[in-house]
Amino acid sequence: MSRMLPPDTQARRMAQPPLLPISQAIGIARLMCILGIVWVHGWTGLGGDEMAALAGSAQHVMRWTVVELFGRSAVPLLSIVSGWLVARSLAQRGPRIFLGGKARTVLLPMLLWNAIALLLVVGAGGLGLIRAPLPGDMRWLADNLLNLTRAGDIDVQTSFLRDLFVCMLVAPWLVRLRSRWLLPIAGGAALWTIAGWQLLVLLRPGILLFFVTGILARRHGLAERMGALAFWRAALPFALIVPVKIWLSVHGEGIAGYHVELVATVDLLARATAALLVWRSAMALARRGIGAWLLGLERYAFFLFCSHLLFMWLLAPAVGAVTGPMGSTGWPLFFLVQPALALGFAILLARLIEVVSPAAADLLSGGRLGRQAASPAARPLAHAHWKL
């Protein structure tokens, strides 16, 4: 005998999705992810050998915990959000207008910010003001400006925009495929990630995996379903995979030498489950009063994403001269507040550019600030959908 349902069950199901603050949660999740990316790139004041010497220390464990368990969830969730939004964008705009928009809002800001970083950081290094990479040959210049074969030495985060733009190029084809064909594509991207193949089409093939996941999430209502999970259910997968990741990091050096794929698989699962937890947290915050305040800061999220390495190269060393580098007593507090400091730097820089040249702010933010975003009619779209 089938279970009887209340007579208003269907009405409640139909009414529920509009009540879920999906757009607000997307904005909050995006801000949370980019703040996490700042931790990944946080200033330590140490080189590779000096960092290795601190392995196992309390500060090293603290940094590893923040970066590996929280900061690295950012790229998966940002990629999922991009795929989720692209499905709607293509339905509204068509492939030609869509791709032209992506060139302006993703590719052009990447090129501009890479050029600015090269000019300022390499210039400051040449003047002896900071320790910075020395300019190399034409290949070095191409990689630092275009991210052709690797992430740059200065603006390392913009390689995400490079791979995201490649995903955008095939998005008009992806959104036309049935889900049963998207699943093998996602599986192939997962295999590509785990195997570590260097095909250079994508520098980080996991971005394609999660981009396709976002398209599937849009089709099958997964954003709503995952956002409505009980919090403990959203946290459980992350809680289960974290001990495995920690064990491999602490005791798995011998295993890692022979089973690199195992380490890569666990890392991929940790990132995916952390992304689910961040999404559920963003949905919870969107339902509360703090959500409106966070959405106000989200206006500067993309600008923070693009500019925070300038803060790390140009300003963080001055603060670090007071706190000391990693290993010093004052460094942990500086490390923990770096996302807030970088956000403040991004807001001040963005407002200054908006005052001096709204057109420049428009270009550097991919249309998220400046003359277009200043329109009251455009502002909600810019905030809720990040021009995707």
Side-chain angles (χ1 to χ4, degrees):
M1 181 176 178
S2 61
R3 183 170 60 91
M4 297 294 295
L5 297 175
D8 62 338
T9 296
Q10 186 63 29
R12 291 208 307 266
R13 285 177 178 170
M14 293 176 64
Q16 186 178 12
L19 298 177
L20 293 174
I22 297 297
S23 292
Q24 294 88 337
I26 284 174
I28 293 170
R30 194 159 44 226
L31 178 64
M32 293 171 66
C33 287
I34 293 173
L35 290 171
I37 289 175
V38 176
W39 267 323
V40 175
H41 302 146
W43 185 87
T44 62
L46 303 180
D49 293 339
E50 295 168 314
M51 288 282 291
L54 286 178
S57 66
Q59 292 191 13
H60 177 268
V61 171
M62 180 202 73
R63 180 181 180 274
W64 185 93
T65 302
V66 172
V67 169
E68 295 296 329
L69 302 187
F70 299 102
R72 295 200 188 278
S73 67
V75 167
L77 187 51
L78 288 174
S79 303
I80 291 171
V81 165
S82 297
W84 192 92
L85 293 172
V86 156
R88 176 176 180 176
S89 296
L90 277 166
Q92 292 178 336
R93 289 186 271 180
R96 181 175 297 181
I97 297 175
F98 170 81
L99 292 176
K102 295 312 111 188
R104 183 181 179 279
T105 61
V106 177
L107 186 62
L108 181 58
M110 181 194 83
L111 298 175
L112 292 174
W113 282 104
N114 283 347
I116 291 170
L118 282 171
L119 179 64
L120 296 182
V121 175
V122 174
L127 294 173
L129 301 177
I130 60 172
R131 291 191 298 174
L134 296 175
D137 56 15
M138 291 303 296
R139 181 173 178 177
W140 182 90
L141 180 62
D143 280 332
N144 278 272
L145 188 61
L146 304 172
N147 302 122
L148 287 181
T149 64
R150 62 180 179 86
D153 298 301
I154 299 172
D155 263 1
V156 297
Q157 83 283 2
T158 57
S159 61
F160 169 76
L161 297 180
R162 181 259 202 209
D163 282 353
L164 181 61
F165 183 70
V166 173
C167 292
M168 297 295 183
L169 290 177
V170 296
W173 173 67
L174 291 175
V175 298
R176 292 176 179 270
L177 293 178
R178 295 182 181 273
S179 296
R180 65 171 179 262
W181 292 109
L182 287 177
L183 288 173
I185 292 174
L191 180 62
W192 184 359
T193 302
I194 292 168
W197 299 324
Q198 297 297 320
L199 303 182
L200 299 185
V201 178
L202 292 171
L203 300 180
R204 302 172 69 178
I207 292 174
L208 175 61
L209 163 63
F210 293 110
F211 186 83
V212 172
T213 300
I215 295 175
L216 291 168
R218 183 64 182 252
R219 288 184 184 177
H220 302 287
L222 296 181
E224 294 84 355
R225 289 160 61 185
M226 296 300 101
L229 284 175
F231 197 87
W232 71 268
R233 291 181 183 273
L236 182 61
F238 183 66
L240 292 175
I241 199 66
V242 161
V244 181
K245 182 175 175 63
I246 293 174
W247 186 87
L248 285 174
S249 177
V250 175
H251 301 290
E253 291 184 2
I255 291 177
Y258 297 99
H259 301 286
V260 177
E261 293 82 2
L262 173 62
V263 176
T265 300
V266 171
D267 181 69
L268 190 62
L269 290 173
R271 291 171 185 246
T273 56
L276 171 60
L277 181 56
V278 171
W279 172 246
R280 180 60 183 84
S281 301
M283 185 69 80
L285 291 171
R287 292 188 174 106
R288 289 167 172 77
I290 193 175
W293 179 74
L294 292 173
L295 284 173
L297 296 177
E298 191 270 340
R299 179 173 188 258
Y300 301 96
F302 183 82
F303 210 89
L304 170 64
F305 175 84
C306 293
S307 69
H308 74 270
L309 260 296
L310 289 181
F311 171 83
M312 295 302 169
W313 282 106
L314 301 177
L315 297 183
V319 181
V322 177
T323 65
M326 183 176 173
S328 303
T329 304
W331 179 83
L333 177 60
F334 177 40
F335 174 72
L336 292 175
V337 301
Q338 281 183 43
L341 295 176
L343 177 59
F345 167 78
I347 292 174
L348 290 175
L349 181 61
R351 289 181 175 176
L352 176 62
I353 296 174
E354 281 188 295
V355 170
V356 174
S357 175
D362 179 67
L363 289 174
L364 290 171
S365 67
R368 300 161 183 91
L369 299 172
R371 57 190 179 190
Q372 289 192 10
S375 165
R379 192 174 299 124
L381 180 64
H383 286 193
H385 300 297
W386 210 35
K387 293 284 184 177
L388 282 174

